[in-house]
Amino acid sequence: ENDRAITARIVDSGILCDRGKYRPKKNQYIPSELAAQIFNFIKNNEVEILMMKIVFTKFEKELRKYNIDNHYYLQGILHEMYADQLYFKRDYVSTNSNLTSIYSTIVNYIENANYLVTKEQIKNQYPGITDSVITFATNHDNILNYFGEYLHVNKIKISQEETVYLKNKINEVVYDGLTHHIKELYDTVKQERPEIFMRNAVHYPHSAFSLLEYLF
């Protein structure tokens, strides 16, 4: 009756083999030993959510022997074999039903870090992740963007008295009704109350902007 109905029937009777493409299902796609190796790699990985491209690359040489030539096809196979144990979302596979979004996973990673998290640390934690995914994930209300470094708002350490101080300094700077560069405020606070910025990893004017934008 419509495209959605057609898609549902195709998905029921076929297996994903490429982006938007399906093949008829069959009894076996890859040897059970290879399937077990891939499953164990995912299951025992210290990261609970992986990009399918990473999994495919890890086993690409063996997979190509059985004409599995892309990560979509591998995802289709894994979904067919392990749908009750693994969780799939777009280009990702997860061992945790609550972690099917790479974006929320990155936010959680930053939140659980002891200090600033750099873009390189995120890339090392989630191999194969792109800059655009990191940008989208860190564009979150609870993430302070220090331009290549990120801090979760739960890590902010500012007292009520310091908050009032910062607010007063902002009012002093913009009292004339004109637009001012953040460096003016940054230099003043750095000179008068440097401990506020130091305690919150604010070492540059743009970092101060991110912090103050969140607070006020």
Side-chain angles (χ1 to χ4, degrees), residues 136-198:
F136 189 90
T138 53
N139 187 27
H140 189 280
D141 291 342
N142 291 333
I143 300 297
L144 300 184
N145 187 346
Y146 285 3
F147 289 77
E149 296 180 310
Y150 308 95
L151 185 74
H152 196 277
V153 296
N154 287 350
K155 299 296 188 298
I156 295 176
K157 298 177 181 178
I158 295 180
S159 68
Q160 183 62 37
E161 181 273 329
E162 290 170 336
T163 302
V164 172
Y165 163 79
L166 290 173
K167 181 62 174 176
N168 289 337
K169 286 301 169 183
I170 292 174
N171 290 337
E172 289 178 13
V173 170
V174 300
Y175 181 76
D176 57 9
L178 301 177
T179 299
H180 294 262
H181 195 281
I182 187 63
K183 194 175 185 302
E184 291 183 46
L185 185 59
Y186 172 78
D187 289 342
T188 299
V189 176
K190 187 177 180 182
Q191 181 178 7
E192 296 180 356
R193 302 286 298 273
E195 70 278 5
I196 299 177
F197 282 164
M198 291 298 294

Side-chain angles (χ1 to χ4, degrees), residues 25-73:
K25 294 182 180 180
K26 55 184 181 181
N27 293 330
Q28 187 178 50
Y29 305 92
I30 57 178
S32 55
E33 182 179 352
L34 177 57
Q37 289 177 0
I38 297 173
F39 176 79
N40 289 332
F41 171 74
I42 297 170
K43 199 71 174 177
N44 299 326
N45 201 289
E46 62 180 19
V47 179
E48 292 184 294
I49 185 168
L50 290 167
M51 294 184 68
M52 284 304 310
K53 287 182 180 179
I54 296 300
V55 182
F56 176 76
T57 301
K58 173 73 175 178
F59 297 94
E60 182 174 3
K61 185 176 180 180
E62 287 299 312
L63 287 167
R64 287 190 178 277
K65 293 179 182 179
Y66 306 96
N67 298 317
I68 313 302
D69 57 2
N70 63 77
H71 69 276
Y72 298 104
Y73 201 174

